[in-house]
Amino acid sequence: MIRIYTAPSCASCRKVKSWLKENNIPYVEKNIFSTLLRTDELKELLIRSENGTDDIISKRSKIIKENKVNIEELSVNQLIKFIQDNPSILKRPIIIDERRFQVGYNAEEIRAFIPRELRKIAECDHTDFCPQFLDLKAEYDKDKKESLN
């Protein structure tokens, strides 16, 4: 299941949610200001980011600048506590599932979140002649319908 970490005033977050809805891709939204960010979630975000804190934390954040916080000097536990106390330092949106991780809205990169089976179908120029099209589409539609119920 795709999780997206969002903020209400974030335009990129609205774009991601709109794109996922348009493509009928189910997701779970976590508003970083109204939902407690659990320690295990934050550790997963840090582990999955290729460049560590640079990928998910805005070092130009007002809170970081005003408090003269050096993120690199914090232990992992201190960093997690700091994020939990100051979720606004997180870049948004953060999109994550079992295999993929993306920060921000990028129209090209977000396509990676379309299920592989549907990407294969989209690559076929003549869906009427693609033997797997009807079976895969029916299966996808059934799974989608069940996940919404």
Side-chain angles (χ1 to χ4, degrees):
M1 175 64 75
I2 295 173
R3 282 178 285 145
I4 56 172
Y5 294 86
T6 65
S9 61
C10 171
S12 293
C13 298
R14 288 191 295 275
K15 286 180 185 177
V16 166
K17 293 189 301 185
S18 175
W19 187 90
L20 291 169
K21 286 177 187 172
E22 286 172 14
N23 287 281
N24 297 312
I25 299 173
Y27 64 91
V28 173
E29 179 180 6
K30 297 204 75 167
N31 179 325
I32 63 171
F33 295 111
S34 64
T35 305
L36 174 66
L37 298 171
R38 297 184 332 264
T39 299
D40 61 325
E41 287 178 289
L42 293 173
K43 282 183 180 177
E44 179 185 16
L45 294 178
L46 289 166
I47 290 168
R48 299 274 304 273
S49 61
E50 289 182 21
N51 302 306
T53 58
D54 289 342
D55 285 348
I56 65 169
I57 294 177
S58 174
K59 297 199 173 130
R60 297 180 305 193
S61 164
K62 185 177 178 181
I63 292 169
I64 290 175
K65 285 183 177 181
E66 285 179 355
N67 294 304
K68 296 183 172 88
V69 175
N70 184 344
I71 296 295
E72 306 307 322
E73 291 179 358
L74 299 177
S75 70
V76 172
N77 289 335
Q78 289 172 325
L79 176 61
I80 288 171
K81 177 74 171 123
F82 187 71
I83 296 170
Q84 288 171 327
D85 293 342
N86 304 284
S88 65
I89 68 169
L90 287 176
K91 293 179 180 179
R92 309 176 277 283
I94 298 174
I95 313 161
I96 189 169
D97 70 4
E98 299 79 24
R99 296 180 313 249
R100 295 162 294 241
F101 180 88
Q102 180 177 328
V103 178
Y105 175 77
N106 179 308
E108 292 301 316
E109 291 177 10
I110 197 168
R111 295 187 193 290
F113 286 92
I114 294 175
R116 181 177 36 227
E117 296 82 11
L118 292 182
R119 283 197 313 264
K120 285 181 184 177
I121 291 169
E123 291 168 3
C124 184
D125 292 333
H126 307 289
T127 54
D128 294 340
F129 302 109
C130 289
Q132 74 275 25
F133 177 74
L134 294 176
D135 292 339
L136 284 174
K137 182 162 182 352
E139 185 178 326
Y140 176 75
D141 289 341
K142 179 183 171 201
D143 290 346
K144 184 183 75 171
K145 190 174 187 179
E146 288 174 1
S147 71
L148 295 174
N149 292 334

PDB file of all heavy atoms in Angstrom, residues 104-116:
ATOM      1  N   GLY A 104       8.596  14.719  -2.992  1.00  0.00           N
ATOM      2  CA  GLY A 104       8.142  15.756  -3.915  1.00  0.00           C
ATOM      3  C   GLY A 104       7.324  15.167  -5.044  1.00  0.00           C
ATOM      4  O   GLY A 104       7.246  13.950  -5.220  1.00  0.00           O
ATOM      5  N   TYR A 105       6.684  16.049  -5.796  1.00  0.00           N
ATOM      6  CA  TYR A 105       5.887  15.613  -6.932  1.00  0.00           C
ATOM      7  C   TYR A 105       6.702  15.788  -8.201  1.00  0.00           C
ATOM      8  O   TYR A 105       7.161  16.876  -8.514  1.00  0.00           O
ATOM      9  CB  TYR A 105       4.593  16.419  -7.032  1.00  0.00           C
ATOM     10  CG  TYR A 105       3.790  16.072  -8.259  1.00  0.00           C
ATOM     11  CD1 TYR A 105       3.056  14.903  -8.299  1.00  0.00           C
ATOM     12  CD2 TYR A 105       3.787  16.906  -9.374  1.00  0.00           C
ATOM     13  CE1 TYR A 105       2.324  14.564  -9.431  1.00  0.00           C
ATOM     14  CE2 TYR A 105       3.056  16.578 -10.507  1.00  0.00           C
ATOM     15  CZ  TYR A 105       2.333  15.408 -10.530  1.00  0.00           C
ATOM     16  OH  TYR A 105       1.619  15.070 -11.642  1.00  0.00           O
ATOM     17  N   ASN A 106       6.902  14.700  -8.910  1.00  0.00           N
ATOM     18  CA  ASN A 106       7.581  14.717 -10.192  1.00  0.00           C
ATOM     19  C   ASN A 106       6.712  13.897 -11.139  1.00  0.00           C
ATOM     20  O   ASN A 106       6.533  12.699 -10.941  1.00  0.00           O
ATOM     21  CB  ASN A 106       8.981  14.108 -10.062  1.00  0.00           C
ATOM     22  CG  ASN A 106       9.718  14.074 -11.378  1.00  0.00           C
ATOM     23  OD1 ASN A 106       9.219  13.580 -12.383  1.00  0.00           O
ATOM     24  ND2 ASN A 106      10.930  14.605 -11.376  1.00  0.00           N
ATOM     25  N   ALA A 107       6.179  14.561 -12.166  1.00  0.00           N
ATOM     26  CA  ALA A 107       5.218  13.922 -13.065  1.00  0.00           C
ATOM     27  C   ALA A 107       5.759  12.660 -13.736  1.00  0.00           C
ATOM     28  O   ALA A 107       5.004  11.717 -13.978  1.00  0.00           O
ATOM     29  CB  ALA A 107       4.761  14.924 -14.122  1.00  0.00           C
ATOM     30  N   GLU A 108       7.044  12.623 -14.021  1.00  0.00           N
ATOM     31  CA  GLU A 108       7.618  11.439 -14.663  1.00  0.00           C
ATOM     32  C   GLU A 108       7.911  10.330 -13.654  1.00  0.00           C
ATOM     33  O   GLU A 108       7.582   9.176 -13.877  1.00  0.00           O
ATOM     34  CB  GLU A 108       8.906  11.816 -15.410  1.00  0.00           C
ATOM     35  CG  GLU A 108       8.666  12.699 -16.621  1.00  0.00           C
ATOM     36  CD  GLU A 108       7.742  12.056 -17.648  1.00  0.00           C
ATOM     37  OE1 GLU A 108       7.912  10.866 -17.939  1.00  0.00           O
ATOM     38  OE2 GLU A 108       6.839  12.759 -18.142  1.00  0.00           O
ATOM     39  N   GLU A 109       8.553  10.692 -12.545  1.00  0.00           N
ATOM     40  CA  GLU A 109       8.956   9.677 -11.573  1.00  0.00           C
ATOM     41  C   GLU A 109       7.784   9.020 -10.858  1.00  0.00           C
ATOM     42  O   GLU A 109       7.862   7.858 -10.474  1.00  0.00           O
ATOM     43  CB  GLU A 109       9.910  10.293 -10.549  1.00  0.00           C
ATOM     44  CG  GLU A 109      11.256  10.651 -11.145  1.00  0.00           C
ATOM     45  CD  GLU A 109      12.175  11.326 -10.162  1.00  0.00           C
ATOM     46  OE1 GLU A 109      11.858  11.355  -8.953  1.00  0.00           O
ATOM     47  OE2 GLU A 109      13.218  11.833 -10.595  1.00  0.00           O
ATOM     48  N   ILE A 110       6.689   9.739 -10.691  1.00  0.00           N
ATOM     49  CA  ILE A 110       5.551   9.176  -9.956  1.00  0.00           C
ATOM     50  C   ILE A 110       4.917   8.008 -10.710  1.00  0.00           C
ATOM     51  O   ILE A 110       4.279   7.150 -10.122  1.00  0.00           O
ATOM     52  CB  ILE A 110       4.514  10.262  -9.606  1.00  0.00           C
ATOM     53  CG1 ILE A 110       3.584   9.751  -8.501  1.00  0.00           C
ATOM     54  CG2 ILE A 110       3.750  10.708 -10.838  1.00  0.00           C
ATOM     55  CD1 ILE A 110       2.718  10.806  -7.880  1.00  0.00           C
ATOM     56  N   ARG A 111       5.156   7.940 -12.013  1.00  0.00           N
ATOM     57  CA  ARG A 111       4.602   6.834 -12.803  1.00  0.00           C
ATOM     58  C   ARG A 111       5.115   5.477 -12.319  1.00  0.00           C
ATOM     59  O   ARG A 111       4.499   4.455 -12.577  1.00  0.00           O
ATOM     60  CB  ARG A 111       4.931   7.016 -14.285  1.00  0.00           C
ATOM     61  CG  ARG A 111       4.261   8.225 -14.881  1.00  0.00           C
ATOM     62  CD  ARG A 111       4.466   8.290 -16.376  1.00  0.00           C
ATOM     63  NE  ARG A 111       4.104   9.567 -16.936  1.00  0.00           N
ATOM     64  CZ  ARG A 111       2.888  10.045 -17.045  1.00  0.00           C
ATOM     65  NH1 ARG A 111       1.880   9.337 -16.620  1.00  0.00           N
ATOM     66  NH2 ARG A 111       2.652  11.216 -17.573  1.00  0.00           N
ATOM     67  N   ALA A 112       6.223   5.476 -11.598  1.00  0.00           N
ATOM     68  CA  ALA A 112       6.756   4.220 -11.053  1.00  0.00           C
ATOM     69  C   ALA A 112       5.777   3.591 -10.069  1.00  0.00           C
ATOM     70  O   ALA A 112       5.849   2.394  -9.801  1.00  0.00           O
ATOM     71  CB  ALA A 112       8.092   4.474 -10.362  1.00  0.00           C
ATOM     72  N   PHE A 113       4.842   4.377  -9.541  1.00  0.00           N
ATOM     73  CA  PHE A 113       3.878   3.850  -8.582  1.00  0.00           C
ATOM     74  C   PHE A 113       2.681   3.179  -9.252  1.00  0.00           C
ATOM     75  O   PHE A 113       1.845   2.612  -8.581  1.00  0.00           O
ATOM     76  CB  PHE A 113       3.406   4.963  -7.629  1.00  0.00           C
ATOM     77  CG  PHE A 113       4.453   5.322  -6.614  1.00  0.00           C
ATOM     78  CD1 PHE A 113       5.370   6.333  -6.858  1.00  0.00           C
ATOM     79  CD2 PHE A 113       4.541   4.629  -5.419  1.00  0.00           C
ATOM     80  CE1 PHE A 113       6.344   6.643  -5.934  1.00  0.00           C
ATOM     81  CE2 PHE A 113       5.513   4.938  -4.485  1.00  0.00           C
ATOM     82  CZ  PHE A 113       6.417   5.949  -4.742  1.00  0.00           C
ATOM     83  N   ILE A 114       2.614   3.247 -10.579  1.00  0.00           N
ATOM     84  CA  ILE A 114       1.576   2.499 -11.293  1.00  0.00           C
ATOM     85  C   ILE A 114       1.990   1.029 -11.250  1.00  0.00           C
ATOM     86  O   ILE A 114       3.143   0.703 -11.522  1.00  0.00           O
ATOM     87  CB  ILE A 114       1.439   2.968 -12.759  1.00  0.00           C
ATOM     88  CG1 ILE A 114       0.931   4.411 -12.803  1.00  0.00           C
ATOM     89  CG2 ILE A 114       0.515   2.047 -13.548  1.00  0.00           C
ATOM     90  CD1 ILE A 114       0.874   4.997 -14.196  1.00  0.00           C
ATOM     91  N   PRO A 115       1.080   0.119 -10.892  1.00  0.00           N
ATOM     92  CA  PRO A 115       1.447  -1.300 -10.841  1.00  0.00           C
ATOM     93  C   PRO A 115       2.084  -1.765 -12.148  1.00  0.00           C
ATOM     94  O   PRO A 115       1.672  -1.363 -13.233  1.00  0.00           O
ATOM     95  CB  PRO A 115       0.112  -2.004 -10.597  1.00  0.00           C
ATOM     96  CG  PRO A 115      -0.734  -0.965  -9.933  1.00  0.00           C
ATOM     97  CD  PRO A 115      -0.310   0.349 -10.522  1.00  0.00           C
ATOM     98  N   ARG A 116       3.117  -2.593 -12.026  1.00  0.00           N
ATOM     99  CA  ARG A 116       3.898  -3.060 -13.175  1.00  0.00           C
ATOM    100  C   ARG A 116       3.009  -3.647 -14.273  1.00  0.00           C
ATOM    101  O   ARG A 116       3.232  -3.412 -15.453  1.00  0.00           O
ATOM    102  CB  ARG A 116       4.926  -4.088 -12.722  1.00  0.00           C
ATOM    103  CG  ARG A 116       5.776  -4.597 -13.860  1.00  0.00           C
ATOM    104  CD  ARG A 116       6.864  -5.574 -13.444  1.00  0.00           C
ATOM    105  NE  ARG A 116       6.451  -6.440 -12.360  1.00  0.00           N
ATOM    106  CZ  ARG A 116       7.197  -6.687 -11.279  1.00  0.00           C
ATOM    107  NH1 ARG A 116       8.372  -6.165 -11.163  1.00  0.00           N
ATOM    108  NH2 ARG A 116       6.750  -7.479 -10.335  1.00  0.00           N
TER     109      ARG A 116
END
